[in-house]
Amino acid sequence: MSVTGVDQAGDAPATKETDLLDPLNSNPGVNAVMLGGSSMYGLSAADGVIRWLEERREGVGVGVGVAPIVPAADIFDLGRGGNFRARTSPAWGWVAADNAKAGAVKQGVAGGGTGARSGGLKGGVGTASMVLDNGIVGAIVVANSVGSPVDPRDCSLLAARYEVASEFRGLQTPKVQDCNPPGNSAKADGPSMNTTIAVVATNAPLEKAAAARMSANAQDGLARAINPIHSLSDGDTVFAISTGNGTPLRVNADGGQLNRIFNTAADTLTRAVGHAILNATTVGTARSDCDRYPSACDKLSPIPADERGEAPEVTTESFAAANEKISAGTPPVGGSAANGQGGQSNAPASQQKKSDDPRQALSLASTSSSGGSGPSPLLVNGLLALVGLIGLASALLIRCRTAVRSGS
C-alpha cells in the first residue's frame, strides 16, 4: 500500500473514500486510486477495481479476508456522447485493473479523458514528470474544467509558460487572426458542470500529513494552467501518493526537502494539463487547441513513436468476460487465495509475475477505444505506468505498490 493524501478544492465533487485519507484517520495507504468519468454514477467502477484486488488478496487484512482501499474521483461528462445513460460500471473497473502495464501513457482523448472538455476546448488526459536529487515527481490529470486553459490576451496555452526541455514540441503563440475572430476565442464555459481530477506522485517517502500537504500544494498547479479554477460547478480533486521506502519525510522536520517536492508537484501538474490540452483531438463540437488555433501548431513536431503510449481496445467479448467475473460472486476465502494466489489474470505469465511482485513501484495504466495522439511517459525509470478505462464514459486506475527504492 502507498501513503496517500487528498485535497478537494472544487465545490461539486464526485468522490469516494476520501475521508479515509485524512491524516487524523487510521489507514495510511491505499491499494489503488481511480480517476474516471460518469460523475457519481461512475464511482461504481471502483467496485470492479476492488473485486480485482480482492481476488489477488491485496488490501487491509480483516480476519479471513481483505478490504482493498480504493479512493476514487470522477469528472462530470454525462451525456457528452449523446446518451445520458452511457456510464461506467464495475466491469470497467475490472478491465482497467486487468490491463495495467508499464510504459508510456496514452494522452488526450483516452481513458477518463474521453468525454472531457476544458473551457471551450476539448480536454483529456495529460501527464508530466520531473527528476529531483531526492526523488521523482509525476502527475496525471483529467482536464475537464469550466475555466479556460488559454490566455485570453493572446490565446496561448497557459501551461506552456512552464515548459521543460521543449516538451510541447514547438507549440507557439497563435497569430492574431487565429486568436481574435468573433466566436473563435476559447473562453470559460457558461453554466456548466465539469471537474478536473488528478494524481501527483513521488518515490520519496512521505508521512501521511506530508502527502496531504502535497495534494493541497498541487492544486496551485491547476490554478496556473486553468482560469478560473475551483468554481461552484467544478469538483477539482487532487490525490498525492508516496511510493517510497525508508524514513518518511515529515512536515515538522524536513521542510526544505518537502518544499522542493511540493513546489515541483504543482509545476508538474501544470505541465500535465498542458499535455492534456495539446494532445486532445476534436470530438464533435468540442474543438482541439490545434484546430481552434492552427497557427499555434504550425511547427509542432510529432510525438516520438516510443512515447505515444498504447491503449488496448475493449471488445464486446472482453467486456462480457469482465462482467462475468463481476457477477460470479465474491472470490473464495482460504486455500491458494489465502496465500496470495487467488484470482487469475488474463495477462501473459511474465506480466502476471511482475504484477505479483510486492516490490513493484506505483503503477498506473491507460486504455481507450478512442483516438487521440499519444504522450510522453508519466514518470521516468519505469517507476510509474498509467492504467485506464476505455470508452465514452471511461476511467483511469492507479494501482499502488511499494517502491523498489527510495531517493534518486
Side-chain angles (χ1 to χ4, degrees):
M1 303 183 77
S2 296
V3 173
T4 302
V6 66
D7 186 84
Q8 194 280 306
D11 292 287
T15 55
K16 176 181 182 292
E17 292 279 30
T18 52
D19 282 353
L20 191 62
L21 304 183
D22 189 308
L24 296 178
N25 292 333
S26 59
N27 201 68
V30 304
N31 297 100
V33 171
M34 190 192 78
L35 306 181
S38 306
S39 192
M40 76 294 295
Y41 298 108
L43 293 173
S44 67
D47 296 341
V49 180
I50 291 169
R51 172 64 189 281
W52 190 93
L53 290 165
E54 183 188 14
E55 288 211 354
R56 286 149 183 81
R57 304 292 292 171
E58 294 187 35
V60 176
V62 286
V64 295
V66 295
I69 308 301
V70 184
D74 282 352
I75 65 169
F76 187 98
D77 57 2
L78 293 169
R80 295 204 179 146
N83 181 0
F84 186 81
R85 293 186 177 276
R87 306 161 185 168
T88 50
S89 64
W92 287 108
W94 178 281
V95 169
D98 211 39
N99 279 280
K101 66 176 182 178
V105 176
K106 187 169 184 177
Q107 298 180 95
V109 185
T114 304
R117 298 186 308 200
S118 187
L121 293 175
K122 185 71 184 81
V125 174
T127 72
S129 65
M130 174 63 70
V131 180
L132 302 176
D133 59 9
N134 62 341
I136 300 172
V137 174
I140 179 169
V141 66
V142 181
N144 183 64
S145 56
V146 172
S148 175
V150 303
D151 189 329
R153 296 169 295 183
D154 59 8
C155 298
S156 61
L157 201 62
L158 289 169
R161 293 159 175 75
Y162 293 81
E163 182 178 27
V164 174
S166 302
E167 64 185 313
F168 293 121
R169 314 189 326 269
L171 182 69
Q172 305 175 102
T173 299
K175 294 179 180 179
V176 173
Q177 59 265 36
D178 277 353
C179 183
N180 290 327
N184 202 42
S185 59
K187 301 177 181 178
D189 283 342
S192 177
M193 287 176 277
N194 287 68
T195 291
T196 296
I197 52 180
V199 171
V200 290
T202 181
N203 66 335
L206 304 181
E207 66 171 354
K208 195 174 180 182
R213 187 69 245 175
M214 181 178 175
S215 64
N217 282 32
Q219 291 276 11
D220 294 340
L222 295 182
R224 295 166 188 162
I226 299 167
N227 185 43
I229 194 70
H230 310 329
S231 75
L232 292 171
S233 300
D234 285 305
D236 305 325
T237 302
V238 177
F239 297 93
I241 295 174
S242 166
T243 65
N245 289 323
T247 303
L249 298 176
R250 296 180 297 148
V251 170
N252 292 320
D254 303 292
Q257 291 190 69
L258 288 175
N259 279 332
R260 292 189 62 207
I261 293 171
F262 295 167
N263 293 337
T264 300
D267 290 347
T268 303
L269 185 49
T270 298
R271 294 163 47 220
V273 172
H275 286 294
I277 303 304
L278 183 59
N279 285 289
T281 52
T282 295
V283 177
T285 59
R287 297 173 67 190
S288 69
D289 184 74
C290 285
D291 284 346
R292 180 69 67 91
Y293 310 114
S295 60
C297 301
D298 282 347
K299 298 182 179 180
L300 205 66
S301 61
I303 300 173
D306 63 344
E307 296 181 5
R308 293 175 187 171
E310 296 181 358
E313 187 170 342
V314 175
T315 65
T316 301
E317 293 76 16
S318 64
F319 191 72
N323 262 321
E324 185 176 353
K325 285 280 190 179
I326 295 297
S327 61
T330 58
V333 174
S336 61
N339 294 321
Q341 302 301 318
Q344 296 298 316
S345 170
N346 294 325
S350 60
Q351 292 184 16
Q352 290 184 36
K353 182 176 181 181
K354 181 175 182 180
S355 67
D356 288 339
D357 184 353
R359 300 168 299 166
Q360 186 178 343
L362 167 72
S363 68
L364 304 140
S366 149
T367 57
S368 174
S369 58
S370 302
S373 54
S376 53
L378 172 60
L379 285 187
V380 298
N381 294 338
L383 282 178
L384 300 182
L386 168 71
V387 183
L389 295 175
I390 305 120
L392 171 65
S394 55
L396 292 171
L397 166 75
I398 302 172
R399 293 199 62 229
C400 306
R401 294 281 184 89
T402 305
V404 176
R405 56 192 171 88
S406 59
S408 61

